[in-house]
Amino acid sequence: MKMLKDPEHQVAGHMAKDGRLGPLVDGEGRFFKPFQSNGRGEDEAKFYESFSSNKNVPDHIRGYFPVYHGTQVVETSNGSGKLPHIILDDVVFGYTNPSGMDVKIGSRTWYPGVSEQYFNQCLKNDRETTSVSLGFRHAGFKIFDHQESRFWIVEYKFVHRYKVDDARLALRKFVSSNSLADLIPDCAFASQVYGGSSGILAQLLELKAWFETQTLYHFSSCSVYMFYENESLLMKGGDGARAQVKLVDFTHVLDGNGVIDHNFLGGLSSFIKFIQDILES
Amino acid sequence: MHLKAPEHQVAGHIAKDGKPGPLVDDKGRFFKPLQGDSRGEIEVKFYESFSSNTEVPAHIRRYFPVYHGTQAVESSDGAAMIVLENLLSKYSKPSVMDVKMGSRTWYPEASEEYIQKCLRKDARSTTVSSGFRISGFEVYDHKELSFWKPDRKLLNGIKVDGVRLALRKFVSSNTLSDTSSKPDSAFASSVYGGSNGILTQLLELKTWFENQTFYHFNSCSILIIYENESIQDGDARAQVKLVDFAHVHDGNGVIDHNFLGGLCSFINFVRDILQSSDDQSTQD
């Protein structure tokens, strides 16, 4: 068994910190996500099982989901013992210096059937963040500052307080070359990362088209994780940004029951409009 | 000016307990009483803004009632009323359905009390699950030669299957009050389908909602209307109209993702019924 270590490029969710449980990577392309408590880990594994074998998911859509490799009991990141982990393809494997951003999609993170307590907590979070107003909220990001040659990591507890203008600014900074401390981001990489036939926008539009008709799953509390390679961005004749969109976090996925995931779709459409606005400006 | 109560109200405020209800005249106008608290003001403000908004494309403007300003009306004790186009004046036997759009009817600017009230209603209806709910409908029974309306209480309690059934009944010709017979969806393709049908119109609206950031149409309804007089000849004159703008707020650079999500879900329901009725007719 290869040695498992902390991933370098985690941007949101549960990071191994201060003794808390975090994910692990094997350095050869596999990502180990510890089962989340209260049955959520089992639910997530169950979703991946269902999704992997669901013949009704078109191939080009499957590419937006991490590849699943089953589960395994391994030693946790904080050495507290052994726990089942979900094994996925490490989506940033092969990227040297990726900037990444995690955006939770949907104007509500609760769904029918949850406990009163969970509903109240979700509603409070949705109203306090940009979820209700924008249909999405930032969960964290890691952006490479080309001026200072280092990463800026902004965690959930800070982005949680974002308002509409902060969200817009973050999306602009995500594709900028000037220092992130500057007030006005230059959006120098907007067309390379967001634009183009295989850029972020094109991928989001492809996902959106699927969401307009798919009634298989309702993705509550799921995130769009977008990332790109900084290394090749500035090189002429290189691979370019290699920007990618992945859907992540499937602890609260429900059966669609013949209805489209209108909550996710609305939020996704709003997010797309924000990206389009940045491309056009 | 001869004013009377409109014939085919399906939802919303009717004349009750001394409170004024809407009126229509014989010149194609609809008089809507200005609702209490700020709602009447908000609705007028919306119509004023919308009528003069040059950035609203002409093909989208047709989905909204024409606004004729406000007027004090004598027969309603001089109460101020919003004067609109009577959407049904050119129909002789209209079937009408009112669908409240959006997976939530509350919005951030509303009072806490209102938000809680909406949360309860939204959870009890198909609003949360499906992104819309049917507020009411009236359909013409071609056998009984009379109009039929489902019981309001029954309608409030329906779930997703009930919605599907209602959308089928809405375009059926067979006896509707007889719950044992299955709706025949005889008019599905005339009403929902075709290049001028409901589905085409909804898709046109959807495209606008993917980009417009002017207004957030909280608690708005989509009215679906069609003509029974000519439908046996295949001429449904089906029309989509947006109504009820008492809770519209500025978009502030953000699209109306709540309305859009619900609209897409509604489109999917209509499309499913159209496809299953097409399948049925090719099997006959």
Side-chain angles (χ1 to χ4, degrees):
Chain A
M1 240 299 274
K2 302 146 227 142
M3 263 290 281
L4 296 180
K5 54 188 171 95
D6 292 340
E8 275 182 77
H9 305 289
Q10 265 295 87
V11 299
H14 311 262
M15 302 210 294
K17 228 169 74 155
D18 312 321
R20 250 193 359 190
L21 227 49
L24 299 157
V25 290
D26 67 359
E28 289 178 12
R30 295 281 161 99
F31 183 90
F32 291 71
K33 181 175 176 179
F35 268 32
Q36 287 183 55
S37 56
N38 298 325
R40 287 176 298 166
E42 278 86 350
D43 289 340
E44 187 159 29
K46 229 189 280 165
F47 163 74
Y48 273 116
E49 299 275 338
S50 159
F51 187 80
S52 320
S53 53
N54 193 331
K55 297 185 185 67
N56 292 313
V57 177
D59 288 337
H60 70 282
I61 292 302
R62 205 170 273 290
Y64 294 115
F65 291 78
V67 180
Y68 176 65
H69 298 288
T71 60
Q72 194 177 338
V73 175
V74 294
E75 185 72 43
T76 58
S77 63
N78 61 0
S80 62
K82 287 190 194 260
L83 207 76
H85 285 61
I86 291 174
I87 309 172
L88 304 165
D89 264 1
D90 179 4
V91 299
V92 292
F93 186 69
Y95 282 70
T96 316
N97 254 350
S99 287
M101 183 175 268
D102 184 310
V103 182
K104 211 182 268 270
I105 304 288
S107 71
R108 67 169 145 90
T109 51
W110 57 273
Y111 45 95
V114 295
S115 70
E116 176 112 21
Q117 191 197 30
Y118 186 73
F119 166 77
N120 286 323
Q121 186 57 48
C122 285
L123 184 62
K124 181 169 178 284
N125 286 338
D126 296 344
R127 288 173 73 178
E128 282 175 2
T129 61
T130 58
S131 287
V132 166
S133 52
L134 298 186
F136 63 87
R137 66 169 178 254
H138 278 90
F141 53 85
K142 182 169 166 158
I143 307 179
F144 188 72
D145 187 328
H146 288 257
Q147 228 64 29
E148 309 202 1
S149 259
R150 67 174 189 91
F151 276 100
W152 285 64
I153 301 174
V154 181
E155 290 168 18
Y156 185 68
K157 60 178 187 254
F158 294 111
V159 301
H160 194 87
R161 294 191 222 117
Y162 272 12
K163 298 288 167 242
V164 178
D165 291 335
D166 303 310
R168 223 177 245 120
L169 193 63
L171 288 170
R172 298 181 91 92
K173 287 190 167 180
F174 188 63
V175 293
S176 291
S177 72
N178 56 336
S179 172
L180 292 160
D182 285 358
L183 286 172
I184 302 174
D186 64 11
C187 297
F189 309 136
S191 46
Q192 278 177 283
V193 175
Y194 291 152
S197 55
S198 50
I200 298 290
L201 182 61
Q203 297 179 48
L204 292 173
L205 288 168
E206 208 174 45
L207 257 175
K208 172 172 164 280
W210 184 59
F211 271 92
E212 283 171 355
T213 54
Q214 79 84 10
T215 59
L216 305 166
Y217 306 103
H218 282 193
F219 296 92
S220 301
S221 252
C222 280
S223 286
V224 155
Y225 180 58
M226 57 181 189
F227 54 98
Y228 67 88
E229 178 62 83
N230 283 283
E231 204 77 354
S232 50
L233 204 56
L234 302 165
M235 291 197 295
K236 280 193 168 51
D239 290 329
R242 290 169 59 211
Q244 274 201 77
V245 164
K246 293 285 179 191
L247 256 65
V248 296
D249 292 340
F250 305 106
T251 52
H252 299 284
V253 179
L254 296 177
D255 241 359
N257 282 322
V259 182
I260 64 164
D261 190 352
H262 50 85
N263 177 54
F264 191 98
L265 177 57
L268 181 64
S269 300
S270 179
F271 184 60
I272 283 170
K273 181 78 168 88
F274 268 61
I275 303 281
Q276 269 169 341
D277 284 351
I278 291 170
L279 262 175
E280 277 163 30
S281 63
Chain B
M1 187 166 59
H2 176 62
L3 297 173
K4 57 181 172 106
E7 280 181 71
H8 301 282
Q9 276 291 93
V10 291
H13 307 262
I14 48 169
K16 222 166 74 162
D17 311 319
K19 267 196 333 203
L23 298 163
V24 293
D25 66 6
D26 48 9
K27 290 189 174 65
R29 296 194 183 191
F30 181 89
F31 295 78
K32 182 173 177 177
L34 266 161
Q35 293 181 62
D37 45 67
S38 55
R39 289 175 298 163
E41 275 175 52
I42 291 175
E43 189 154 31
V44 169
K45 204 174 107 188
F46 165 74
Y47 273 116
E48 299 273 336
S49 161
F50 188 81
S51 325
S52 54
N53 189 340
T54 51
E55 291 184 78
V56 175
H59 70 279
I60 292 302
R61 206 167 270 292
R62 65 170 277 209
Y63 296 116
F64 291 80
V66 179
Y67 176 64
H68 296 293
T70 57
Q71 203 175 319
V73 170
E74 261 176 46
S75 43
S76 276
D77 300 324
M81 300 188 117
I82 298 176
V83 187
L84 302 166
E85 164 198 358
N86 177 358
L87 299 172
L88 303 180
S89 62
K90 297 200 178 83
Y91 290 82
S92 69
K93 281 201 192 75
S95 285
V96 188
M97 179 181 274
D98 182 315
V99 185
K100 205 180 271 270
M101 225 34 99
S103 72
R104 62 167 151 88
T105 52
W106 59 274
Y107 44 98
E109 298 88 340
S111 72
E112 195 58 40
E113 193 195 321
Y114 185 78
I115 291 176
Q116 291 303 322
K117 192 174 90 173
C118 287
L119 276 166
R120 283 193 295 271
K121 261 195 181 159
D122 294 351
R124 278 201 307 256
S125 62
T126 56
T127 289
V128 167
S129 59
S130 308
F132 63 89
R133 65 174 178 253
I134 298 176
S135 298
F137 69 96
E138 190 176 52
V139 58
Y140 189 70
D141 187 328
H142 288 256
K143 279 217 180 69
E144 303 287 320
L145 302 179
S146 64
F147 283 95
W148 181 83
K149 225 184 227 188
D151 184 74
R152 192 86 198 260
K153 277 208 189 81
L154 254 159
L155 202 59
N156 284 342
I158 62 171
K159 302 282 168 249
V160 176
D161 287 336
V163 166
R164 272 196 199 98
L165 185 63
L167 287 170
R168 287 203 171 91
K169 279 174 121 103
F170 187 63
V171 293
S172 293
S173 72
N174 57 339
T175 313
L176 301 159
S177 42
D178 176 6
T179 48
S180 60
S181 64
K182 226 176 89 161
D184 60 15
S185 302
F187 308 135
S189 41
S190 309
V191 175
Y192 293 148
S195 52
N196 295 316
I198 297 298
L199 184 59
T200 303
Q201 296 181 43
L202 292 174
L203 288 167
E204 208 175 39
L205 258 177
K206 168 177 164 280
T207 305
W208 186 61
F209 270 92
E210 284 167 347
N211 285 288
Q212 78 85 11
T213 60
F214 305 121
Y215 311 105
H216 282 189
F217 293 92
N218 307 303
S219 240
C220 282
S221 284
I222 276 184
L223 269 192
I224 300 177
I225 308 162
Y226 73 86
E227 177 60 78
N228 285 283
E229 192 76 46
S230 52
I231 200 157
Q232 309 276 19
D233 308 322
D235 181 18
R237 290 172 53 217
Q239 186 66 253
V240 164
K241 292 283 182 190
L242 258 72
V243 295
D244 292 340
F245 306 105
H247 301 278
V248 175
H249 281 269
D250 246 1
N252 284 322
V254 182
I255 65 164
D256 190 351
H257 51 87
N258 178 53
F259 190 101
L260 176 60
L263 179 62
C264 288
S265 179
F266 186 62
I267 283 170
N268 210 53
F269 272 73
V270 173
R271 197 189 274 122
D272 280 352
I273 287 166
L274 195 55
Q275 269 163 11
S276 63
S277 78
D278 277 350
D279 292 343
Q280 239 180 314
S281 58
T282 54
Q283 279 168 30
D284 290 339

